[in-house]
Amino acid sequence: MLRDGKYAAWFRTQRGQGTGLVDLVEGRISGRDSFFTYGGSYQVDQQRFTGVLTVKRHTDGPASVFGPDEFEVKLSGVCSGVVATCSGTAREAPDIKFEATLIYSQEEVPAADARCAVVKLNADKLPKGLDSRSRPHHPLAPPRAPVS
């Protein structure tokens, strides 16, 4: 079953590959990578799913794995546990096969008994003056010999 939540996405075509983050929640897809945003919808039937993903550029950068800056991909795939795989094609580049692997990102649950240490600063224990290690020196000057 494809769970609602956050997924790391690895996608590829013969033109290239990339990674991004995807949220799947109640049949809706949203996400992004460094250059594109993703949106769309999906339907689940047991372990199988289908979907339509719309991709749009938000920042200048390299060409998409399909070529154009905006495209729509029809997907179908399977989910087994925390990993889902799918494939499809874009309407704008029907000869290019798209494949993706989605990995469910589990939220870390904080430990119930975790405690933060509180450290009091005792200013009397801090060094009073500068020594040879903390004096500023010119960056091009030769290194100083260690003090014995």
Side-chain angles (χ1 to χ4, degrees):
M1 180 80 171
L2 196 59
R3 302 183 205 184
D4 282 0
K6 296 183 183 301
Y7 289 79
W10 173 42
F11 49 88
R12 54 217 168 272
T13 70
Q14 62 262 40
R15 287 189 174 177
Q17 62 181 335
T19 59
L21 299 174
V22 179
D23 287 313
L24 302 179
V25 179
E26 298 179 357
R28 304 294 309 157
I29 304 169
S30 63
R32 67 183 296 135
D33 61 31
S34 298
F35 306 102
F36 295 89
T37 57
Y38 321 130
S41 61
Y42 65 95
Q43 300 80 38
V44 178
D45 182 17
Q46 300 297 320
Q47 305 307 107
R48 302 196 65 70
F49 64 95
T50 59
V52 176
L53 180 67
T54 302
V55 180
K56 295 181 182 181
R57 180 177 292 280
H58 66 75
T59 301
D60 287 339
S64 75
V65 294
F66 285 104
D69 285 346
E70 291 189 24
F71 51 92
E72 182 179 281
V73 184
K74 291 190 179 189
L75 302 168
S76 63
V78 294
C79 182
S80 56
V82 296
V83 176
T85 57
C86 59
S87 62
T89 56
R91 182 175 44 167
E92 296 76 6
D95 295 337
I96 298 176
K97 184 177 179 185
F98 176 83
E99 296 177 326
T101 301
L102 305 175
I103 302 168
Y104 183 72
S105 300
Q106 296 180 3
E107 299 289 326
E108 287 189 33
V109 178
D113 290 43
R115 306 231 188 263
C116 295
V118 177
V119 178
K120 277 189 135 177
L121 174 65
N122 185 346
D124 294 332
K125 291 187 177 182
L126 294 174
K128 301 294 185 243
L130 297 176
D131 63 15
S132 64
R133 293 171 293 169
S134 59
R135 285 193 191 112
H137 67 283
H138 191 276
L140 298 178
R144 297 183 199 157
V147 178
S148 305

